[in-house]
Amino acid sequence: MRELTYVARNRVEWREVPDPRLGSDAEAIVAPVAATSCDVDTAILAGHGFREPPFALGHECVARVVETGDAVTSVRPGDLVVVPWSINCGTCGPCSRGLTAHCDAVPHMAMYGAPIGGSWGGLFSDLVRVPWADAMLVPLPGDLDPVAMAAASDNWSLSWRLVAPHLKARPGARVLVVARGSIGLYVCDIARALGAGEVLYVDPHAGHRAIAREFGATTAETLEPVRHGFDIAVEATGRVDQLALAVTSLAPEGICESAGNHFRPGGLPLLDMYLTGVTLRIARDNVRGHIPDALALARSGRVDPRRVVSHVLEWERLPEALPEKHLKPVFVRTGV
């Protein structure tokens, strides 16, 4: 089989590797049918590597189950499933508390698409082994489009978690989204659907702002801090100055969720945060637990994740098209 492999900055290629095999009766083999890229892939391609190449890429996809072990009961061959980005057993202490990105059964940070917690392959591969299939795989409801939900492995479900629980606790909250792409746009759509009183989306990209306006957000190319302006802020830029903008725009006891990968150091206005009373969370997402809720919202018809998909491209085009700067490309395989 083939595995899309990162070999150098802005360069990926197909490489032949052995077909994955079931390692236990709790595992499954799946074939991605709609896979997409996210900010981690973009960062790797830009040279922010976690390890020297080569290594497999990709950690967001809807896949078709090809083979299951005898102990697997939740899915069967032929099913379409969401494959979470992180590897988790579902039963260890952290997993039992919902901390699936910190599973004790695997090395720290074990994930698809980046070899920083062992080598698990990537979801831009013809076939993928899924350990603990019953714990990890989530069946895709038949009325959902695999292309629209290719990001449910990470970005779509992460975006749900960034804003949905906070809006449930604070109905009508004012939401600031400081972003550079798909996560922020998903958040705009979800926040509007769940009753945010105001959504302001800040992004220098005119095309992204146009999509945000379609989701009912007001937009700005840049923004100066708005004192006590927002109850919830979401930052997804990877830039510390933009995180500082988000936290200094919060109302007293406001909440800031940072989904950015901050590869460069920087300073935050800690005294101002202290005086205002700010809750800041920066974390990899424990996505497995929110996938069902995020899928349920997608099924409700109140949101349109398909609108964020910028390009639908053939699977064979991955090596040439992935390094291109697209908002949210989805690579689709036919005949699987």
Side-chain angles (χ1 to χ4, degrees), residues 2-4 81 108 120 132 198 202 208 251 297 303 307 330:
R2 301 169 310 165
E3 181 176 81
L4 192 75
V81 293
H108 180 54
W120 302 91
W132 303 292
E198 176 188 354
V202 182
H208 300 173
L297 179 60
V303 291
R307 180 65 188 85
V330 177

Side-chain angles (χ1 to χ4, degrees), residues 48-61:
H48 299 293
F50 301 98
R51 195 183 78 180
E52 289 299 311
F55 54 82
L57 277 184
H59 67 274
E60 291 190 338
C61 83

Side-chain angles (χ1 to χ4, degrees), residues 179-180 201-209 220-222 237 239 242:
R180 291 293 185 272
Y201 177 80
V202 182
D203 185 334
H205 194 288
H208 300 173
R209 296 197 305 273
E221 182 176 354
T222 61
T237 68
R239 295 178 51 176
Q242 297 302 290

Side-chain angles (χ1 to χ4, degrees), residues 188-203:
C188 288
D189 193 17
I190 294 167
R192 174 202 51 78
L194 297 183
E198 176 188 354
V199 181
L200 173 61
Y201 177 80
V202 182
D203 185 334

Side-chain angles (χ1 to χ4, degrees), residues 34-75:
T36 187
S37 61
C38 87
D39 53 352
V40 171
D41 304 305
T42 301
I44 290 172
L45 288 166
H48 299 293
F50 301 98
R51 195 183 78 180
E52 289 299 311
F55 54 82
L57 277 184
H59 67 274
E60 291 190 338
C61 83
V62 168
R64 192 174 299 282
V65 178
V66 174
E67 183 181 2
T68 60
D70 292 340
V72 176
T73 60
S74 61
V75 297

Side-chain angles (χ1 to χ4, degrees), residues 1-56:
M1 73 149 202
R2 301 169 310 165
E3 181 176 81
L4 192 75
T5 304
Y6 169 64
V7 294
R9 182 172 180 173
N10 287 325
R11 184 182 160 206
V12 293
E13 64 184 34
W14 291 119
R15 290 198 173 179
E16 291 290 335
V17 297
D19 286 0
R21 295 185 177 184
L22 297 177
S24 77
D25 61 3
E27 298 185 354
I29 305 296
V30 303
V33 298
T36 187
S37 61
C38 87
D39 53 352
V40 171
D41 304 305
T42 301
I44 290 172
L45 288 166
H48 299 293
F50 301 98
R51 195 183 78 180
E52 289 299 311
F55 54 82

